[in-house]
Structures are given as structure tokens and as C-alpha cells.
Amino acid sequence: MPLRLLVIVAFWIGLAVSSHAQDETLPDEPIVFGVRPGVRFLTPTSAEIRWETTIAGPAAVAFGPTRRLGRVIASPSSGTSHRVVVDDLIPGQTYWYRFGLNQGGKRSFSSFYQLEGGMNYTPPVVETSEVPAGAEEAIKRLVQPGGYAVVWGDVPPSWCEAIAAGTSMTVVAAVDDSDVLNRLRKRWYADRTYGIRLTAQLKQDVPHAIANVVVVRGNQVNDVAGLLSPMGQIIKLGSGDEVAESKNDEYAWQTINPDVHFGRRAAPELAAWGHQYGSSGNASYSGEMLGGVDDTADLEVRWIGRPGADFGIDRNPRMPAPLAVGGRLFHQGMNRMIALDAFNGAVLWSLEIPDLRRVNIPRDCGNWCADDSHVYAAVKDRLWVIDAASGEMIRTMLLPEEYEGNSEWGYVAVTEHRVVGTVMKPGSGYSGFWDKAAWYDGKDDAATAKVCGNAIVGYDKQYGSIDWQRDADAIVHSTITISGNHVYFVEVDDPSLKQASSGKLLNRQIWSAASIVCLDLDSGEERWKAKVPAQDHETLISFGIADDDQFILQTSGKNEFHFVALDAASGKPRWQQSVQWPEDHHSAHIQHAVLMNGQIFVQPHILSADDGRVVKSGTLGKRRGCATPIGAGNSIIYRGGTGPLSLWSLQDEKPSEFTRLRPSCWLSTIPAQGMLFSPEGGGGCSCGGWMETSIGFAPVLPLGEER
């Protein structure tokens, strides 16, 4: 029997026998992962599973609809990096799976994991034998393989079928008359491709600004400009006089062949929500003004749909915020993440990552961030660098060598040239999400202990190499802030903390020896260090917020919010201020303040960011229910009235509501990319009949004005 087959048989016997054991006690060693497992759905019936081990050897994954498993797939690699594709999955079926490794006859096994087929949103596969000349080359130039394509007018249907076969897009044939419409529908219905992948509509029924790509005759380019999303592209067909008639010169054109030309517009400057509180400056404001809108009546639904409530954890454990960058919206759920097209809501990709979960973000930090091309996600001891367009993991970034194998990745931020992260002790982050204790709204130590790192590291963004490193006794994650070329954080000088088993520290372990530190982003050198003013030992939250001029430390305790501002250049005190909480429950006492337009907003107060004076109190609307405020230029987004998502107009000083739309208990609604996104975060809430769906809103434009 060939060695490879013997290995597979050994895995089968080992995995099958151990799977039947009621107590799951194994005679062999557990697998030590180099990179934790991740699953990327490829088609409705297939998925890619990737993992890395710390030692080389033949590896396999066993899976099945129960813990008895039933099927084993051997990795083609005998090294440490493994990738297998599981096919013949039943759509919607939940599967169990686990890993095995063989090194010199010694077997190692992982624990069991679950793969939820109901979270597989990939569209059906379409095949075609007729591919028009130039179609394959044009498809390769698309910014992303998912979204919506519109094929306009009398362009041959073969273009529709080629795009559907070469991408995961929904392709809309936009035609002039009902006879052509019916012919196309009958043709694709007979081929069993009509619906999700191929559809036909009359031109006037195609929604505005929906298309990621439009295929059009050269003399009709001007007719389709309104169909394109802000990141949309054009495939122009025709030659000679037909192309010359196109007078639209806002596109940069590439000629694929004499009859096919590919065009794209300059990328628009859109506000990005790339970090937990917008930017790495933690302002809870991205610069997005929503076109000046300050009333929900002036926002229209641009898309509605996935994901729904099953995707996430119950609303209360205060999960990481969504991200919106580069025309894409990223959202976290229960050990999973999903990417949607920001402008039409199309699902681009989704990943199942069993070790992703992080909760109680007010006492920690987000576990991911994003830029135009990548998502950066902290998964145990590695930072995953994920392609934003496809969901493929490109590479991982390592902790400093002395921390490998005994630490986890904590904080993460990305700048133009750098990734900044922290090292934390294993198990320091919060992960509990069930029962009242996991509401994280209380004032006791169990809910308010702050997660801290013991080193902060600056990486070269392109190559992943370490440029600088600062070790510390403790660095409070929720205070780490990057603005301009400055990195700020609260650092605790107490050598005894190095012996602590966890980086989850109580207030009495932090504030007696705490300082605010400012580092140079490029070199990691200390610019200044200042003692933190005396803090209450019942401090509930500690947030860092910064702009070009100052770093602001926000804390909360004894019925008040406290603010301390230090000069960005020198670290010298600028101002201090304390204001009353509105209540001591349902997030009112742990709000993250908004820094916007030279003012600080924390309900029910507005403070001057320049000197800390109270501009107004008793404002920003009557709040109800858990959440934290968000800035949108002319309004503050919050939960008000009877509990739905609301906008408080700063000009008119009155609220407006989205009835039956609810955010999570922390931050799940974000203004960015010219839109307002509310991916579902309210599932499981007992305080109302919420819609439990994801929605993208866009400002309603004045009549005759084009987006």
C-alpha cells in the first residue's frame, strides 16, 4: 500500500475512533497551530479550509454532518502550511470538522469545529461555452469579482453569460422592449440560470448607481453614467465612428482589442471608517457629512438584505464595529466576517474563523481594521492580511520573536505605510457572550477590567518586518490612539504586572502608576511622557481620542465623565473637565465621546475641544437603550425616543427616527463612503420588534442633481 494512502487510512482510523469517544479524551497530542483554521466559501457546495501547524508532517481534515465525521481529505502538503478544498457540501447543512497531523508516527488532533452552511452566501456557478472576444481580458481588470453588472441595450447576451461565468456578479440585461425581455428570461430560465445570476429588466427599471460594471456600445456611454456606483467601471464596445461618438472624457481607457475598451474613473475621495471608532484617532467621526443631511427623512434605502440576525452574536456583548473602506462594507458576526459592496449590498465573500471572536470592546480594542486593499484581522497570535476584494488570506504578520508561542495579537491599526499592533498575554481578551454577565454594562470589576498589552510594535506595512518595538509593563488597549505622526497610549509602570497571568487588569492595578506616552509613528522613539492625573479606582472606561493638536483621555466614574487634554507637541496639560452622566445603565455611563467640528459630544453635553468649556448641557436628545453616539457632521447618531436608531440635528436640536431599526449595544451603524450603513447588530434584543436586517442608506439628492 502506498505511503500516502497509509497516512490517510491512519488519519481515518484515528479521527473516527477519537470522534466516538464520549469524553473526547485522546491518546495523542493536541495540534499546535501556527495559523489558526479559517474557512472561505467558494461556491454553494464547496469551501476552502486553510491552517498552518508549527511542525511539518502529513496533515488532513475530517468532516461530516455529525461528530462521527465521515470523510477525510489529506492535505497535498507535508510541510506546515495546508490548504484543502471540501466539495459536495449540501447547501445550508451544518458540518463538524477537525484536523489531524502525523509526524514520525506520532499523531496530533485538534478539537472539533463547526461549519455553518447557512452562512454560505456564494451564488450558483454558471458555465458558458460562448465567450465574446475580449471578455476574459476585461473581466481580469475588474476591481472585484462580485457585485452587479449591467449589460446595456443591444449588446449580445453572450456578454451577460460570459460575465456571469467569469465572476460571482449578478448580471442584469437592460433592454428596450418587452419582447426581448421575455426571450432572455425564457432562455435563461430554461438553462436554470435565471434569477440570482442572470436577470433581464427594462432599462427604466434598472436602479440608479447600482452597477460595479456596465457593458455598453461606445456611442451610449453617456446614457449609462447614472447606473454606475462611485467605484463603477465600463466595458465599451465598438470601433471607429461608434466609439468616437462617446464624448465623455472622465474615464481612463485601456484598449483590449479594436472593438473592446475598458474604462475607469478616478477613484472618488470618500470618507472611510477603517477602525473601531472611524480612524485610528478614535474620534467616532470619519469626516462623513452625509451630504449635509440631519434628518432620517432625507435618507433613502439604497439596499437592504444580508446578513441577518443569524450571522451575529446576540446584540449585547459589544462587538467590534463594522468597517467601510474602498467601496466595501465589512461586518463581523459569530466567529465570522463578511464583505458587502458598499453601494449595492451584494455579498462579495465571507469567512468562518473559529478563533476570531472579541467582545466588551469598551474595555479593549477592535480586533480588525482595513484600508482600500486589505483587511487586517487579529486571530490569536497572528495578524491575518486578507484581500479586501476576494477574501483570500494573503499572508500573516508575526509577533516579535521573543513573544512567539506565548502571546496573542491585541490592538491593530493601519496607516499609510505602517501597521501598529500590541502583544498581549494569552486569554486576556473578553470572549463571553452569554447570560447577563456578558452584557458588560455593569460597574463591577468583572465587567470593567481593562485589557492591556505588554508591548507595542510598528511594522512595515508592505513587507511585514518590524521597524520598532516598545516593551512595557502594561499598555491600556482602549487608550491607544494614532493621529498624524503621533502614537498615544496609557502606560503602566509596575514590574510586578509582568508576572500576572492575564493582561486583563483591574483599576487598582492601572491608575496608581499610569502615564500617557507619545511615540513617533515612524521611529517608535518617545516624544514625551506625562503622568496621568489622579483617577478614580472605579473607572468604568478609559478612551484615547486625538486630533492634530491634542490627545484627550476620557474616563468615567463616580457619576461623571472626565476629560484630560494634553498638547500633542509637548505633552503639557491643556485643559480638564468633568460632566455628569445622564444615567448609570444601558451604556449611558460608558459612552465613547464624539470629537467633531471642534467640539466634544457626550450625551447630554457639548464641550469645546479647544478649552473644555461646556458649550451646552441638556441637549443631544433623550436617549433610550444601549449604544454609543456617532458623529455625522450635522447630526449625532444615537438611540433615542422609543429606542430606534435616531439622528439628532445639531442645527434644529430635534430628533428623527428610523422606526424599528436598531443598532447593537455598542457600535454597529457607521456613516462613511457617502452613505449610512447599518449592518444587522440588534438580533436577540427583547426591547422591541426590530427588523433584524442589514440596510444601506444614501442621502436624497435635490431634484435633477446626479450623484
Side-chain angles (χ1 to χ4, degrees), residues 412-423:
V412 60
V414 62
T415 67
E416 184 178 4
H417 301 296
R418 200 161 308 287
V419 170
V420 177
T422 63
V423 180

Side-chain angles (χ1 to χ4, degrees), residues 39-49 85-91 115 120 122 125:
V39 180
R40 179 168 65 114
F41 293 114
L42 302 177
T43 72
T45 59
S46 67
E48 173 193 74
I49 303 178
V85 174
V86 181
D87 52 20
D88 299 325
L89 298 175
I90 298 173
L115 175 64
N120 183 353
T122 56
V125 175

Side-chain angles (χ1 to χ4, degrees), residues 220-240:
Q220 298 174 345
V221 169
N222 295 337
D223 299 337
V224 300
L227 299 177
L228 288 174
S229 73
M231 301 289 187
Q233 300 164 294
I234 282 189
I235 299 173
K236 180 173 63 174
L237 307 183
S239 59

Side-chain angles (χ1 to χ4, degrees), residues 261-377:
H261 310 268
F262 188 88
R264 69 178 74 216
R265 296 176 293 193
E269 293 186 9
L270 298 173
W273 196 284
H275 293 77
Q276 172 65 32
Y277 300 108
S279 71
S280 57
N282 298 339
S284 288
Y285 172 56
S286 67
E288 178 58 64
M289 299 282 291
L290 294 177
V293 164
D294 62 359
D295 191 306
T296 57
D298 294 322
L299 291 165
E300 62 182 3
V301 174
R302 179 54 53 85
W303 56 262
I304 185 169
R306 291 170 169 166
D310 287 349
F311 180 83
I313 304 175
D314 192 7
R315 87 288 177 199
N316 67 334
R318 304 171 198 270
M319 293 182 59
L323 309 172
V325 189
R328 304 179 183 97
L329 172 66
F330 307 100
H331 185 44
Q332 275 195 52
M334 177 64 158
N335 298 328
R336 56 178 61 99
M337 66 173 67
I338 192 169
L340 308 176
D341 185 278
F343 308 114
N344 56 43
V347 175
L348 303 178
W349 51 263
S350 61
L351 300 177
E352 300 281 304
I353 307 175
D355 296 293
L356 178 67
R357 185 170 73 248
R358 188 177 294 185
V359 298
N360 197 3
I361 296 304
R363 281 69 181 221
D364 194 356
C365 57
N367 60 349
W368 68 343
C369 60
D371 58 20
D372 286 344
S373 55
H374 296 96
V375 176
Y376 304 83

Side-chain angles (χ1 to χ4, degrees), residues 145-290:
Y148 285 85
V150 174
V151 178
W152 187 257
D154 63 349
V155 173
S158 57
W159 271 95
C160 300
E161 293 153 4
I163 293 174
T167 69
S168 57
M169 289 183 170
T170 294
V171 183
V172 181
V175 299
D176 291 296
D177 62 72
S178 56
D179 289 340
V180 177
L181 182 78
N182 290 330
R183 283 200 302 271
L184 288 175
R185 288 179 173 176
K186 289 179 180 179
R187 168 177 171 170
W188 292 331
Y189 187 80
D191 293 339
R192 298 187 177 182
T193 56
Y194 185 77
I196 297 175
R197 300 308 317 281
L198 289 160
T199 185
Q201 301 289 334
L202 293 175
K203 286 181 176 179
Q204 61 265 31
D205 294 332
V206 179
H208 178 82
I210 189 178
N212 299 96
V213 63
V214 174
V215 185
V216 62
R217 295 288 184 188
N219 59 355
Q220 298 174 345
V221 169
N222 295 337
D223 299 337
V224 300
L227 299 177
L228 288 174
S229 73
M231 301 289 187
Q233 300 164 294
I234 282 189
I235 299 173
K236 180 173 63 174
L237 307 183
S239 59
D241 294 338
E242 188 176 25
V243 173
E245 289 181 22
S246 172
K247 301 185 186 305
N248 196 317
D249 58 0
E250 65 177 309
Y251 301 92
W253 295 101
Q254 294 176 300
T255 298
I256 295 173
N257 66 40
D259 296 314
V260 179
H261 310 268
F262 188 88
R264 69 178 74 216
R265 296 176 293 193
E269 293 186 9
L270 298 173
W273 196 284
H275 293 77
Q276 172 65 32
Y277 300 108
S279 71
S280 57
N282 298 339
S284 288
Y285 172 56
S286 67
E288 178 58 64
M289 299 282 291
L290 294 177

Side-chain angles (χ1 to χ4, degrees), residues 378-383 396-411 421-425 454-455 457 459 464 466 469:
V379 183
K380 291 296 185 180
D381 59 344
R382 301 287 183 101
L383 186 74
T396 61
M397 297 176 71
L398 303 174
L399 296 173
E401 185 176 357
E402 64 268 33
Y403 292 105
E404 288 185 25
N406 60 11
S407 300
E408 295 179 1
W409 196 295
Y411 172 86
T422 63
V423 180
M424 69 179 182
K425 295 174 181 177
N454 47 332
V457 188
Y459 293 80
I466 294 175
Q469 175 179 335

Side-chain angles (χ1 to χ4, degrees), residues 597-643:
N597 302 337
Q599 295 182 316
I600 296 170
F601 302 85
V602 58
Q603 199 271 344
H605 311 286
I606 302 175
L607 281 63
S608 167
D610 184 57
D611 56 15
R613 63 185 171 83
V614 177
V615 176
K616 183 176 289 188
S617 288
T619 185
L620 302 180
K622 174 63 178 175
R623 67 185 307 281
R624 181 185 184 275
C626 296
T628 191
I630 305 299
N634 292 334
S635 65
I636 295 292
I637 300 170
Y638 73 114
R639 285 190 69 193
T642 57

